[in-house]
Amino acid sequence: MPIRQLSAGTVNRIAAGEVIERPASVVKELVENALDAGAAEVEVVTAAGGLSLIRVGDDGCGMSPADLALAVERHATSKLGDEDLFNIATLGFRGEALPSIGAIARLSIKSRQRDAAAAAHEIVVDRGVKQAVRPAALNVGTCVEVCELFSATPARLKFLKSERAENMAISEVVKRLAMAHPTVGFTLTTGERAGLKLMRQPLGPDGQLARLGRIMGREFLDDALGVDIEREGVRVAGFAGLPTLHRPDPGQQYLFVNGRPVKDKLLIGAVRAAYGDLLPKARYPLLALFVTLSPREVDVNVHPSKAEVRFRDAGRVRSLVAGALRQALEAAGHRASATGGVGAIATLARGGGTSAPASSSFAPRPASGFPRGSPLPRGFGEAMQAPLEGLAGPSADARAAAEPAAADLLDRPLGAARAQLHETYIVAQTRGSVVIVDQHAAHERLVYERLKAALADGGVARQGLLIPQIVELDGDEAAALAEAAPQLQSLGLVIEAFGAGAVMVREVPALLGETDINGLVRDLAREAMSEAGGSLLEERLAAVCSTMACHGSVRAGRRLTAEEMNALLRDMEATPHSGQCNHGRPTYVELQLADIERLFGRR
Ligand SMILES: Nc1ncnc2c1ncn2[C@@H]1O[C@H](COP(=O)(O)OP(=O)(O)O)[C@@H](O)[C@H]1O
Ligand SMILES: [Mg+2]
């Protein structure tokens, strides 16, 4: 076959194949255009998952009739004045979206410039056929309507998901762009029950957080740590969720580069490194981070729908993002997810057996005390007895816990230890709250942080075993573990191969105290097997620390003295990240006195 130049229509349809993957891609391109036009309000309406209709209206700068005619031409753009691909300050720059959409659907653009004298005009491109510009009626701005999407390329229709899924993708696109532009108002109507209405927010971090809260939820709002660092012209700002707030998928990790939502492996890796050991395996934090840097430092022209970027100095950006997050998380100290305490109160209010619902302030007060002779609500007696048992125990120290603690302990963030319940939970009192600590989870985190600090400090103190202990394993496990021996040694665990299916343990980290060496070595072996050659050394060490900490910590079920309890609380206050255990669960919950009072109808 001879070579021939493809027709403009075919070329546009080919381009459309890249740029317009699904209805949400059209929404993305049109909303980006509205934002580039300086809109203060953007309105999106779709029908049938975007297939029968997508309409995007804005109050931006608008277009003249001549611009309208040009806008739908291929490679026509107002955004690359200097044709410098390394100086892009707009979301669009390729001049491909409108001609691509016009090639595969019926496209109508109505527009009117801000200038008072200007009149509105419309242009229509119907499946590649461009009509003449004609007068139309419209207020200031631009209104783009796309009907019968993919009717010119019906094969594409087969690849689409359900209407519901397409609606969700559309909503996601609008949300992402809205997060990066909090001063712009957005509405989205897709025909699904809940549309989206986002008011304009003031410029600045408060406005930004308010916008993020509307999109990511109230929980995020409560648990968001502010991030804002600038170094050598790169700024990393935004909000990061506490590690106790996590999800099974990374869908709530929102990353932006120069106002552009991106899915960037490098940035995702930086987030993973920063949260690394604070989260359980395969759980993801919630965050919205905005990286801003000179357009010269980042190439946005690497992906047709501009979802990926390339940094000139990737290492620097990565370490700045990881560092900024780490710093914010460290500053949060022992603070655990606020939702723990609030959730606990809500649960109590729902199923407490006494009468008061959460909103009891308007309900009649329950009669004080239980009617004489009536049985106590189930579970109540048990809860009452537990502390008494603890206090009547053999230890005088435990009794001391009931004595009013020195006043200054009440002023500490985690308060004064008052009792131990079920040999598992420490109950402490502050001036305005009751704090309940999971002793195992908390101690595990402390041991872990100490191990890591010692490691960074040049090595973990070891303690020799009087009699070396042999641990039987299967052959592969033993081999994998023996291979990891040098790493383990830096962490204070000295082992050597002992025949084919066993290892000999000579020394253990002094920090761990008395430990079930068998259990520890077995867990480590299993880990060594599954991670063999896999993750980074850093992550593997963290995993080993975590396993060791789990074995070295005060197990649930051990009775603690008052001193031990208070020492644990003070340690938690002084240790970064002690608000959650190595598996990402909170180590304590704090119940505000005011909430408890409300629970009992006292407020
Ligand atoms: N909503 C709008 N308001 C004002 N001008 C617009 C709007 N949408 C598109 N335009 C104009 O049409 C041009 C072409 O748009 P498009 O095909 O999306 O390419 P790009 O955005 O890459 O420039 C833009 O450069 C812009 O000048
Ligand atoms: Mg565009």
Side-chain angles (χ1 to χ4, degrees), residues 584-596:
R585 293 189 294 270
T587 54
Y588 72 93
V589 291
E590 182 169 16
L591 309 179
Q592 297 302 326
L593 215 48
D595 288 333
I596 297 177

Side-chain angles (χ1 to χ4, degrees), residues 33-34 37 58 62-63 71 76-79 92-99 142:
N33 280 348
D58 68 60
M63 281 176 272
T77 176
S78 58
K79 301 170 192 174
F93 61 89
R94 299 165 61 100
E96 283 200 309
L98 295 179
T142 302

Side-chain angles (χ1 to χ4, degrees), residues 436-447:
I436 306 174
V437 176
D438 176 334
Q439 68 188 41
H440 173 63
H443 193 248
E444 181 176 328
R445 187 79 212 179
L446 294 175
V447 172

Side-chain angles (χ1 to χ4, degrees), residues 457-471:
D457 242 23
V460 176
R462 302 195 293 256
Q463 187 179 11
L465 296 177
L466 282 179
I467 308 163
Q469 190 165 334
I470 314 290
V471 181

